[in-house]
Amino acid sequence: MDRVVLVEQINEILEIKDSYQAPEALLNILYSGKEKREDVFMKFLQLWGNDVSGDRFHEYFEQEHADRKVKKQDYTPTSIAKLLSLLTDNEGHTIYDPCSGTGGLVISKWWNICLKEGIANYKPSQYLFYCEDLSDRAIPFLLFNLCIRGMNAVVVHCDVLTREAYGVFLVQNVDDDFLRFSNFNVMPQSKDVEQYFNIKFVEKKYKEHIENKIWLKEN
């Protein structure tokens, strides 16, 4: 697909005029509630031809949002993400990516798991994807990518070295169904959360948003 056309189509779905508005628009969609959020998910699935095997935002994000000049940001090409996900094949059910970006590596790993398990047998509850990243602009794309695929994940917006953090998110497929989307939760910036994730909150960037109250009480 022509890059200009792709950018225009994504911006149209997000109801924005300029691509720099995309991270905020995606975050607002995640906060908007299940009905509106999943309506947008369906529009993106149609745009992608229901192909969720890789990060479909990769080219859009890198061209429009990656800070190549100052931070030298270049995100992992899909082909490399696929290769790495195969090289790291193991029996573990918790997958950790310390610099997740928009999710290319974890999506490739997730897709390989789905193929290995078989779509009919794969259960989201059997795998947890633990993602960390520092980029303000990448985090909304990452969260959107995880939710639309019905994954179970924890996302920590932080510096992976200093552990200075800005937000912790829980993405959970409460129906434990491959064909369902995930719920979106923003964890409270509490001492318990800091201790559990070995972080220190230094700024409040996100308002608390809890959709999985039963899950939180049980765990």
Side-chain angles (χ1 to χ4, degrees), residues 18-29:
D18 295 296
S19 297
Y20 76 86
Q21 299 171 302
E24 182 179 1
L26 286 170
L27 198 59
N28 288 338
I29 289 167

Side-chain angles (χ1 to χ4, degrees), residues 32-73:
S32 67
K34 191 177 182 68
E35 184 175 351
K36 183 176 181 180
R37 181 171 66 230
E38 296 188 358
D39 179 62
V40 176
F41 286 168
M42 294 302 295
K43 291 178 181 178
F44 272 103
L45 289 177
Q46 184 177 10
L47 174 64
W48 299 339
N50 293 312
D51 181 1
V52 293
S53 60
D55 178 11
R56 309 294 289 179
F57 282 123
H58 177 271
E59 184 177 358
Y60 174 87
F61 182 86
E62 187 161 75
Q63 293 295 330
E64 304 295 328
H65 297 280
D67 190 348
R68 288 173 163 171
K69 183 177 181 180
V70 177
K71 298 181 180 179
K72 310 301 181 185
Q73 288 178 325

Side-chain angles (χ1 to χ4, degrees), residues 176-195:
D176 201 18
D177 184 343
F178 174 80
L179 296 177
R180 297 285 186 174
F181 301 121
S182 297
N183 280 5
F184 170 72
N185 304 275
V186 183
M187 304 296 288
Q189 292 196 352
S190 65
K191 293 295 182 182
D192 287 341
V193 172
E194 286 184 326
Q195 183 177 4

Side-chain angles (χ1 to χ4, degrees), residues 137-148:
R137 289 179 285 186
I139 288 291
F141 287 91
L142 173 62
L143 291 166
F144 193 93
N145 270 331
L146 298 170
C147 286
I148 198 172

